[in-house]
Amino acid sequence: MGGCGTWAWRELLVLLGSVWLGVGSSQPTPLGPTHTPGPQLKFRLAGYPRKHNEGRVEVFYNDEWGTICDDDFTLGNAHVLCRHLGFVAATGWAHSAKYGKGVGRIWLDNVNCAGGEKSIGDCKHRGWGNSDCSHEEDAGVICKDERIPGFKDSNVIETEQSHVEEVRLRPVVSGARRQLPVTEGIVEVRYKDSWAQICDEGWDSHNSRVICGMMGFPAEKKVNRNFYKLASKSQPKQKHREDVGPKKRLFTERQQLNYRLHSVSCTGTEVHLSMCTFEFYRGNASAACRAGMPAVVSCLPGPLFAAGNAHKKKQRQQQQGQPRIRLKGGARVGEGRVEVLKSSEWGTICDDRWNLLSASVVCRELGFGSAKEALTGARMGQGTGPIHLNEVQCQGTEKSLWSCPFRNITQEDCKHTEDAAVRCNIPYMGYENLIRLSGGRSRFEGRVEVAVGAGDRDQPRWGLVCGEGWGTLEAMVACRQLGLGFANHGLQETWYWDASNVTEMVMSGVKCAGHEMSLSHCQHHGASLSCRNTGTRFAAGIICSETASDLLLHASLVQETAYIEDRPLHMLYCAAEENCLSSSARLANWPYGHRRLLRFSSQIHNHGRADFRPKAGRHSWVWHECHRHYHSMDIFTHYDILTPNGTKVAEGHKASFCLEDTECEEDVAKRYECANFGEQGITVGCWDLYRHDIDCQWIDITDVKPGNYILQVVINPNFEVAESDFTNNAMKCNCKYDGHRIWVHSCHIGDALSEEANKRFEQYPGQLNNQIS
């Protein structure tokens, strides 16, 4: 992007949610029904609310943005427009300004495409700028969420069809062939059906930095060229090779060099080699590069991918001090919503002017390579808390995002619907070759089979995973290892997927924290298997999904609504029947006396990208006669009062919940309600509100002595339902109780503050990250 970083496209990136693509290469032509305009024709999606692949269609023609009228609009028109925007096809279109009214000119009217045209200008229409419509008739499109291979716009580069399609590092040292990731080797580019080299004449560290970024590494390092000079010459005698030492013994075959590129010149900020300037070799490639040798690159891996045990490396890194930047909400390693730490509080970044240069600085700072995509419009889910930065404009050479120019945010500038995210290049680790699914109805589900005992030349032995103890966190890791996104379900029995001849259990006792890249990184029994039920029907299975829900509690509402009530026992028969009081209530002198209750409202939002649905089907929901509705989850929320050292002194027994959409954001429709045996769940963009005056919305503190305490609320505590992020499920407050009154303050989500701020908050960290230790 370095060579393309002109003010023109930077100014265009300011426009929220826009996606544009230049079309054509000739000069502008006069207005007419079938002529294709020149390079000034661009497209984008706009409007609100919308997803990244839908919106009002806006066209940039004759130096002005405008819209398209919905008169005579067809699905064929939508197909052509979606392809302009980089999507493979359309799934629908919208009329009557569904995504809001645009401004400026209405450039096209009565458009009629067959669907196969290369440009909207090839379709029939009334002529550019000739329209009898108002902006109340602005057309929109809904595109299939699948990119055209090779499509490039201001925020994404896919390289399958670019003129340098594929790049790899080929290790020359024999020992390095078996080690992943490959951090050093000869740079090769795909040419026709084979691989070709790059001449290293004029090759510098900027070029190496770009290659390393593509391979998923944050930085390059110097390489011993003298050693590789041996490798690039034809050496039929083995004894010359042994001089370099046993650890650097070269392949015995002679090098067959076929040069493809030369004179490569990168600035170091490009995210792909195809964005650098270079020349192709013409004619006799064997006579090329007489004064040089193949380009060789050595890369420095990030902490997650350094040699040794990856997940222990990560734990060590976390213990060395909390970083000031992190990724949240992504299904795969190296992707997610960008969050930064400022004034001890985590917050997000607004997507205004967000591009690949800034995204690459984030990726490299976190130990990954350059950015594959710079995502706008909260594509990785909406964050919470403050939006710290706006209009970040990195040059691409910065060591940290905090070194880049940015503008401080004001509340009017941005909302969390504009949170920026990234997808980073990560090194190839081969983990997906050690796991597979069998028997499922689609590639997203099946019985888990893992490869064990695969040596250098041995064929892997495939076996099953014991379903005992297998749950959502383990399924999350398996889905990530397969590259299939999030886990919907972790299944302990898979008798209905008996479609494989693999019958042996080879892994048991799997216990994951949820962040691992491979099941082998999780705790497990190793070679000493221990599985009570070894039949194939008890093998572990998974159902994966590209999206997941993400629940979090409105912390400040708890603080604002907390109070004490002394409630007479004669009004608590129903609550006692549903086990909403502490155990000592059974010994009370019913119906005389009272119970002291800490009451507060809880508002549970779904900020994810999929609806939150209970794990249990309707057939197993429990009818509560007392409260006259069905409860769809046995355990949904824990309410606890803890001492500063973590001892539980009181607990709320509001274990089972009826889930519904109480309120939703503007233009989001409610889908779930408890009444009349309705569907239960929480829609994306909605929240379930349990008011402080509802029965059982309390903690029974009758037996609690005066003192300082912690109020802790944990949503989905047993990980029964999959979420994109479990680290924000716990909320904590400081409490001071004097025997008559209670003060609740400093309420916050468990991962909203820095580690230092949390240590100041309390001695006991509580269920800060909701992960099994």
Side-chain angles (χ1 to χ4, degrees):
M1 298 293 286
C4 305
T6 63
W7 65 270
W9 66 259
R10 281 183 178 274
E11 288 299 314
L12 285 174
L13 279 176
V14 177
L15 296 155
L16 168 65
S18 65
V19 183
W20 58 266
L21 173 66
V23 178
S25 58
S26 57
Q27 292 299 312
T29 56
L31 300 183
T34 58
H35 290 106
T36 305
Q40 292 177 318
L41 183 62
K42 301 182 183 75
F43 299 86
R44 71 183 180 192
L45 293 174
Y48 181 84
R50 67 181 184 87
K51 298 178 181 176
H52 68 281
N53 56 327
E54 63 177 321
R56 180 177 64 249
V57 180
E58 298 191 348
V59 188
F60 189 71
Y61 175 80
N62 205 20
D63 291 328
E64 187 178 345
W65 284 102
T67 61
I68 298 176
C69 182
D70 62 13
D71 289 354
D72 302 328
F73 207 86
T74 66
L75 188 61
N77 299 354
H79 282 311
V80 175
L81 288 164
C82 284
R83 287 198 296 273
H84 276 313
L85 292 157
F87 300 97
V88 294
T91 59
W93 61 280
H95 59 85
S96 305
K98 176 187 174 182
Y99 299 102
K101 294 189 288 187
V103 295
R105 299 284 294 274
I106 298 173
W107 278 123
L108 293 173
D109 190 6
N110 301 112
V111 180
N112 190 349
C113 304
E117 293 86 350
K118 290 188 175 180
S119 169
I120 197 74
D122 295 336
C123 306
K124 294 179 181 177
H125 55 79
R126 292 179 55 152
W128 290 90
N130 185 7
S131 169
D132 60 0
C133 299
S134 71
H135 280 297
E136 292 179 350
E137 301 167 84
D138 284 344
V141 293
I142 301 101
C143 302
K144 186 176 181 182
D145 192 6
E146 182 182 339
R147 285 282 183 185
I148 297 171
F151 175 76
K152 297 181 191 178
D153 70 7
S154 60
N155 270 351
V156 59
I157 177 165
E158 297 290 354
T159 59
E160 284 80 358
Q161 294 180 353
S162 63
H163 53 302
V164 176
E165 294 180 0
E166 199 175 339
V167 180
R168 74 176 186 184
L169 280 183
R170 183 168 66 86
V172 178
V173 180
S174 57
R177 288 184 73 183
R178 297 187 295 271
Q179 294 176 356
L180 289 176
V182 175
T183 59
E184 181 173 309
I186 293 174
V187 184
E188 295 188 327
V189 296
R190 172 77 73 177
Y191 180 48
K192 295 181 179 177
D193 294 326
S194 61
W195 293 89
Q197 291 76 42
I198 302 174
C199 181
D200 78 341
E201 285 185 82
W203 189 271
D204 62 17
S205 61
H206 296 309
N207 299 349
S208 296
R209 178 178 168 84
V210 172
I211 298 295
C212 289
M214 291 174 63
M215 298 296 109
F217 302 114
E220 76 290 347
K221 61 180 182 179
K222 285 187 177 180
V223 68
N224 182 358
R225 290 179 80 255
N226 293 329
F227 166 68
Y228 283 90
K229 282 180 180 176
L230 293 171
S232 64
K233 297 174 182 176
S234 298
Q235 296 180 20
K237 294 182 181 179
Q238 180 67 26
K239 64 179 182 180
H240 292 298
R241 302 187 180 194
E242 293 178 353
D243 294 339
V244 298
K247 288 188 178 179
K248 294 200 173 183
R249 189 168 292 124
L250 307 176
F251 295 141
T252 55
E253 72 267 24
R254 292 161 60 132
Q255 289 289 116
Q256 295 297 321
L257 298 176
N258 176 26
Y259 288 98
R260 174 68 175 149
L261 304 180
H262 68 97
S263 303
V264 178
S265 178
C266 304
T267 65
T269 61
E270 297 87 351
V271 297
H272 196 275
L273 186 65
S274 63
M275 303 173 77
C276 304
T277 58
F278 54 79
E279 294 179 31
F280 288 106
Y281 276 116
R282 309 290 179 199
N284 184 6
S286 62
C289 203
R290 290 194 178 277
M293 54 177 267
V296 176
V297 165
S298 183
C299 304
L300 198 65
L304 266 181
F305 306 97
N309 201 324
H311 70 286
K312 286 186 178 176
K313 286 266 181 188
K314 181 178 182 182
Q315 289 170 351
R316 269 205 302 276
Q317 180 196 18
Q318 289 173 338
Q319 290 164 3
Q320 287 170 0
Q322 193 178 31
R324 295 183 67 198
I325 190 164
R326 67 186 183 187
L327 301 183
K328 300 280 276 183
R332 298 167 185 86
V333 175
E335 70 174 31
R337 177 179 62 254
V338 182
E339 296 192 350
V340 292
L341 187 65
K342 184 180 180 183
S343 302
S344 296
E345 189 172 9
W346 285 100
T348 61
I349 296 176
C350 185
D351 63 8
D352 291 356
R353 300 199 180 194
W354 186 246
N355 61 23
L356 283 166
L357 289 174
S358 301
S360 290
V361 171
V362 169
C363 290
R364 291 181 189 272
E365 184 176 356
L366 289 169
F368 305 113
S370 49
K372 191 159 43 177
E373 287 187 70
L375 301 166
T376 58
R379 284 275 301 279
M380 292 289 177
Q382 295 184 33
T384 57
I387 301 173
H388 284 319
L389 307 179
N390 188 17
E391 295 189 21
V392 180
Q393 295 181 74
C394 302
Q395 299 298 310
T397 56
E398 295 88 350
K399 294 285 186 188
S400 168
L401 191 75
W402 292 100
S403 305
C404 303
F406 62 85
R407 200 160 65 83
N408 286 323
I409 199 79
T410 63
Q411 202 61 39
E412 295 75 34
D413 287 333
C414 271
K415 298 181 174 65
H416 281 297
T417 53
E418 302 166 71
D419 284 343
V422 296
R423 282 197 179 102
C424 305
N425 287 314
I426 66 167
Y428 175 73
M429 301 298 292
Y431 294 136
E432 70 276 16
N433 299 323
L434 304 176
I435 187 171
R436 68 188 185 191
L437 300 182
S438 67
R441 296 161 298 181
S442 73
R443 70 185 186 93
F444 283 91
E445 66 178 30
R447 178 179 288 165
V448 177
E449 298 179 0
V450 293
V452 293
D456 297 339
R457 293 177 184 170
D458 300 332
Q459 285 296 315
R461 180 167 61 96
W462 289 93
L464 305 175
V465 179
C466 178
E468 191 179 326
W470 182 266
T472 303
L473 293 178
E474 290 72 35
M476 282 283 189
V477 175
C479 289
R480 178 181 299 123
Q481 187 175 351
L482 285 157
L484 296 178
F486 300 104
N488 252 352
H489 296 290
L491 305 160
Q492 297 186 358
E493 288 191 37
T494 52
W495 49 269
Y496 39 81
W497 283 336
D498 199 7
S500 170
N501 58 3
V502 176
T503 58
E504 182 190 4
M505 292 277 183
V506 297
M507 184 180 276
S508 65
V510 181
K511 188 179 179 185
C512 302
H515 58 71
E516 297 90 345
M517 289 185 281
S518 166
L519 286 178
S520 62
H521 297 162
C522 301
Q523 297 178 38
H524 57 89
H525 290 153
S528 55
L529 291 179
S530 175
C531 188
R532 278 182 296 185
N533 300 309
T534 56
T536 56
R537 67 168 293 173
F538 298 106
I542 56 174
I543 301 175
C544 304
S545 172
E546 284 290 333
T547 57
S549 59
D550 185 21
L551 297 187
L552 60 152
L553 199 67
H554 190 332
S556 59
L557 184 68
V558 173
Q559 185 169 314
E560 292 162 9
T561 56
Y563 64 96
I564 287 176
E565 179 194 16
D566 288 338
R567 194 165 183 83
L569 279 172
H570 68 83
M571 299 176 69
L572 290 171
Y573 278 105
C574 181
E577 190 177 308
E578 296 204 2
N579 200 26
C580 296
L581 301 172
S582 65
S583 56
S584 65
R586 289 195 295 270
L587 306 175
N589 185 23
W590 292 78
Y592 308 107
H594 66 272
R595 304 297 292 181
R596 177 158 289 185
L597 308 174
L598 170 58
R599 309 194 75 147
F600 53 89
S601 297
S602 67
Q603 189 170 301
I604 298 153
H605 291 247
N606 183 359
H607 276 208
R609 290 184 285 154
D611 293 354
F612 184 94
R613 298 298 309 278
K615 184 177 182 179
R618 292 163 70 105
H619 64 280
S620 60
W621 293 357
V622 178
W623 173 255
H624 284 252
E625 180 66 31
C626 197
H627 289 139
R628 308 294 299 172
H629 58 228
Y630 284 91
H631 284 179
S632 57
M633 290 185 71
D634 288 336
I635 299 174
F636 178 64
T637 308
H638 283 168
Y639 299 159
D640 298 315
I641 297 287
L642 311 169
T643 63
N645 68 2
T647 304
K648 189 184 297 185
V649 295
E651 58 186 10
H653 290 275
K654 193 175 177 62
S656 54
F657 265 53
C658 156
L659 299 170
E660 65 180 359
D661 296 327
T662 309
E663 295 291 340
C664 297
E665 294 171 4
E666 188 180 354
D667 297 320
V668 177
K670 297 179 183 179
R671 298 180 60 188
Y672 304 106
E673 63 176 346
C674 299
N676 303 318
F677 201 31
E679 287 291 331
Q680 293 195 22
I682 306 176
T683 305
V684 175
C686 298
W687 54 90
D688 192 355
L689 173 63
Y690 286 84
R691 287 172 50 90
H692 57 85
D693 53 1
I694 293 176
D695 218 20
C696 291
Q697 182 60 35
W698 61 57
I699 302 177
D700 184 347
I701 62 169
T702 307
D703 306 319
V704 175
K705 297 174 182 177
N708 293 320
Y709 297 99
I710 300 152
L711 165 63
Q712 179 169 278
V713 180
V714 184
I715 306 167
N716 193 16
N718 295 345
F719 317 110
E720 276 190 42
V721 178
E723 298 184 47
S724 59
D725 186 4
F726 287 113
T727 63
N728 56 15
N729 283 25
M731 185 223 69
K732 299 177 301 171
C733 308
N734 272 332
C735 290
K736 182 178 176 60
Y737 176 49
D738 67 359
H740 307 285
R741 295 165 295 177
I742 197 161
W743 292 268
V744 177
H745 61 96
S746 304
C747 294
H748 66 281
I749 300 299
D751 66 344
L753 305 180
S754 68
E755 288 179 1
E756 293 76 14
N758 266 315
K759 286 172 185 173
R760 290 196 300 271
F761 173 80
E762 56 181 58
Q763 276 180 281
Y764 169 63
Q767 197 162 353
L768 247 186
N769 56 13
N770 227 7
Q771 291 176 348
I772 299 168
S773 58

